[in-house]
Amino acid sequence: LQQRVPVPAARDEVYFLAVTLNEMIESLDTVLSRQRRFVADASHELRTPVAVIRSTTDVALLHASTREEYISVLRNVNIEAERLGRLINDLLALARGDEGKIKLEHEPVRLDQVADVVAANADTIAEENGVTIHRPQLEPVTVLGDETRLIQMIMNLLDNAIIYTNPGGSVTLSVRATPTNAVVTIKDTGIGIDQEHLAHIFERFYRVDQARVRNAGGSSGLGLAIVDWTVQAHHGTITVESQPGLGSTFTVSLPRAIEAAPKESVLIGSR
Ligand code: ADP
């Protein structure tokens, strides 16, 4: 959309109509070009695992002869198929979110319990990476929202914290209750993020270090974009602080569910 409506000199109704129309065209332009970039990036990301599967199987068909060689090829194909599957799931989640098709549940969710379960499940992968997860503070607090999405949100943040922390490091997960909010903090002693990258890490497909991608255990570059989407959908905020070499802290703050007043108080009030 290149055209703009000519704006007349006189500040009359036509002038304001033209200005408004041009603003609308401009925001449509932005949305369209963002969407085009998303499709281009997504196609590029999908091509990579397919290319690896093609070349691995091509070589195998020409040269493999022993059982071990075939098993090694199958293992590679399996890893790439898993990567593809994860990527497609993440892409679908974001595309549905864009379309406004995701219907979020609106149920009371105990965020401290969710965090506890997610951390317990992440213990094995943390151990494999030589990273310890600490849970020093999990205050009981309820938010209204979609439990599945909130589980995924904490899981993505925790996975990143583990992946981007070197062996011997630690990840600290805490949930605090303020009078109005539930605050989840995920702090790691990992590699950290340079200031220049911090503003971009929530963008789709943005990765600080492309070279780490292939050995970072199936990075899709979409994890934080999905986290950001989930936080917005729950009317919350997310912030990140980081120091290269020392670690990063992600803080999610979601509005607390307003707990129903106990029945007695209603009775006392009406006496
Ligand atoms: P990815 O799938 O690559 O992890 P994300 O959207 O989850 O994609 O994260 C985007 C980028 O932000 C990552 O590639 C990484 O460079 C950086 N990042 C995210 N979390 C952390 C963290 N805890 N420590 C250091 N870097 C991080």
Side-chain angles (χ1 to χ4, degrees):
L1 289 176
Q2 296 298 327
Q3 295 107 322
R4 295 288 182 274
V5 178
V7 180
R11 299 207 155 217
D12 54 9
E13 279 153 331
V14 180
Y15 168 89
F16 287 111
L17 201 63
V19 169
T20 311
L21 265 175
N22 282 339
E23 280 171 7
M24 282 165 71
I25 294 172
E26 221 147 83
S27 53
L28 205 61
D29 253 353
T30 314
V31 171
L32 282 177
S33 69
R34 215 171 41 205
Q35 207 63 26
R36 267 197 294 268
R37 211 185 87 198
F38 182 45
V39 172
D41 288 347
S43 317
H44 176 79
E45 295 286 333
L46 289 168
R47 268 214 316 246
T48 312
V50 174
V52 175
I53 290 175
R54 267 306 293 273
S55 63
T56 319
T57 48
D58 274 350
V59 171
L61 285 171
L62 284 174
H63 302 295
S65 53
T66 65
R67 187 182 144 80
E68 283 69 36
E69 281 169 338
Y70 280 111
I71 288 180
S72 141
V73 170
L74 284 180
R75 210 167 272 139
N76 281 338
V77 170
N78 196 257
I79 290 171
E80 294 304 324
E82 211 183 302
R83 184 191 292 275
L84 259 180
R86 220 180 355 241
L87 191 56
I88 290 169
N89 279 343
D90 285 355
L91 282 171
L92 278 178
L94 280 170
R96 290 212 187 98
D98 283 347
E99 274 184 274
K101 270 198 181 151
I102 293 184
K103 212 182 144 289
L104 282 187
E105 296 293 333
H106 209 61
E107 283 168 356
V109 179
R110 278 280 300 273
L111 215 53
D112 53 307
Q113 289 174 352
V114 166
D116 198 29
V117 172
V118 173
N121 286 337
D123 260 343
T124 318
I125 175 169
E127 242 169 63
E128 283 168 13
N129 284 270
V131 174
T132 320
I133 303 180
H134 300 293
R135 283 168 272 175
Q137 188 184 28
L138 294 175
E139 295 177 358
V141 64
T142 305
V143 298
L144 273 189
D146 194 307
E147 186 166 33
T148 313
R149 301 270 150 199
L150 293 169
I151 288 174
Q152 192 191 27
M153 178 188 83
I154 297 181
M155 210 156 74
N156 285 358
L157 290 170
L158 206 56
D159 278 352
N160 278 348
I162 294 166
I163 288 168
Y164 299 108
T165 296
N166 291 322
S170 68
V171 175
T172 307
L173 172 68
S174 61
V175 177
R176 283 178 305 111
T178 76
T180 52
N181 287 69
V183 183
V184 183
T185 311
I186 292 139
K187 183 178 160 63
D188 65 58
T189 61
I191 60 170
I193 305 159
D194 266 326
Q195 199 60 33
E196 53 166 315
H197 296 294
L198 263 189
H200 300 288
I201 56 170
F202 293 98
E203 290 168 15
R204 296 170 183 192
F205 300 116
Y206 192 90
R207 298 170 179 120
V208 172
D209 186 355
Q210 292 293 337
R212 278 183 72 96
V213 169
R214 296 210 66 81
N215 43 24
S219 128
S220 75
L222 292 174
L224 286 180
I226 293 176
V227 167
D228 190 45
W229 186 89
T230 308
V231 171
Q232 306 305 328
H234 284 83
H235 310 290
T237 57
I238 180 162
T239 55
V240 52
E241 280 168 53
S242 189
Q243 273 191 294
L246 291 179
S248 315
T249 304
F250 286 80
T251 306
V252 175
S253 180
L254 303 179
R256 277 179 78 162
I258 298 159
E259 271 124 58
K263 282 214 171 83
E264 295 80 30
S265 63
V266 177
L267 283 178
I268 291 165
S270 61
R271 248 180 222 154

